[in-house]
Amino acid sequence: EDFEIEVISASPNNISLHLFDSQRVKSHRCMRNDEYPSQLFLKIVRSNPTWSSQDNIPVERVDREFISCTRFGDCNPGSTLRPILCETDEVRNDGTKYMISEFISGNYDMYATQFRNGRVDTVAAGVLGKNLASFHVDSRSRRVSESLFSNRTFDVLYNNGFKKVVDQWKEWATAKDLEVDDHKIRRTMELYKKHPRYLDYLDDMMDSLRNPPDEIAACIHHDLHILNILVKDNYGDDTSDDLIKVVNFEYANWGPIGSDRE
């Protein structure tokens, strides 16, 4: 049997595809034990994508995504897509990797939609908090591979993401005379000049990301914004784990649990 393909998204980093058997999806035929799911999610992770011309993002990020997503689902059944396979593309033989998961079907929408509509139901937030706590506690009891989850694997994200932002903040805060038209930047400059100790706080915050104290460290999602959280439509009084679906564990790593507060 052949799958049809629908492109979900494409970027220099990843290509996400929806694979489906249209006949089985239309007929709502249930999957037997010896059958593949009628819908699959395929993420193709390129071996040398870049955020800038200087730095590569390690392809091993998809291995961390596979492990973290699997464990999140083990702790909270139904609360994320179920990973099936994570392998190297031996046909292209260029280091590209891919991850195959079950496709999230049914009536789910991004949590961001509720915020856009101005009507946010906090029931979903409570379920999300419980599921995250289970994931964090479980990871502390059986820490995953040091080679995949460590501050070394966090360096690219740290150097090209957070550190660049913080360095920009510091430049604004210490500039004696910086001509800017942006009100937000100027307000930021004024705030930091009045509270210079905040710069020390930024340094401490960045260090805790890479070297979190044991008492606050766990396996974290680290990209947990409202676009990566799906909420079931019209859930009423439902508070089961599958009320929400957490997706996109690509930046999961070992770090401070406070990073998942978003």
Side-chain angles (χ1 to χ4, degrees), residues 3 30 56-57 64 66 86 91 139 145 164 192 209 219 240:
F3 276 102
C30 294
N56 292 336
I57 311 172
R64 291 191 290 275
F66 183 86
C86 182
V91 176
S139 70
S145 170
K164 286 185 177 180
Y192 294 164
L209 286 174
C219 187
S240 58

Side-chain angles (χ1 to χ4, degrees), residues 31-145:
M31 180 177 64
R32 300 195 308 268
N33 290 334
D34 59 345
E35 285 186 324
Y36 53 78
S38 59
Q39 301 187 75
L40 294 171
F41 173 79
L42 169 62
K43 176 181 278 189
I44 301 172
V45 180
R46 298 174 181 177
S47 57
N48 291 304
T50 59
W51 280 343
S52 67
S53 58
Q54 292 81 25
D55 303 292
N56 292 336
I57 311 172
V59 71
E60 289 78 17
R61 65 191 185 279
V62 71
D63 297 305
R64 291 191 290 275
E65 178 168 17
F66 183 86
I67 294 172
S68 301
C69 193
T70 299
R71 291 199 169 186
F72 195 92
D74 289 345
C75 297
N76 312 288
S79 63
T80 185
L81 45 78
R82 184 171 68 87
I84 299 172
L85 185 66
C86 182
E87 295 289 346
T88 299
D89 188 338
E90 296 181 357
V91 176
R92 294 173 61 92
N93 196 29
D94 62 353
T96 296
K97 302 194 75 167
Y98 62 86
M99 185 180 79
I100 298 175
S101 307
E102 284 188 331
F103 187 80
I104 295 178
S105 58
N107 299 318
Y108 284 87
D109 197 1
M110 291 184 296
Y111 203 14
T113 302
Q114 293 191 12
F115 286 82
R116 293 194 195 105
N117 295 337
R119 299 179 61 185
V120 180
D121 194 328
T122 57
V123 172
V127 174
L128 174 63
K130 178 184 71 66
N131 290 354
L132 279 173
S134 299
F135 176 57
H136 293 155
V137 170
D138 176 77
S139 70
R140 288 172 59 86
S141 65
R142 50 169 186 164
R143 183 169 181 177
V144 289
S145 170

Side-chain angles (χ1 to χ4, degrees), residues 166-178 188-190 192-193 196 199:
V166 171
D167 286 346
Q168 181 65 73
W169 290 346
K170 288 183 177 181
E171 180 183 337
W172 294 342
T174 56
K176 293 183 178 180
D177 187 18
L178 183 64
T188 301
M189 291 168 55
E190 294 172 353
Y192 294 164
K193 287 181 183 298
L199 297 179

Side-chain angles (χ1 to χ4, degrees), residues 144-156:
V144 289
S145 170
E146 278 282 351
S147 62
L148 281 176
F149 292 79
S150 70
N151 57 7
R152 293 185 300 277
T153 62
F154 193 74
D155 278 345
V156 171

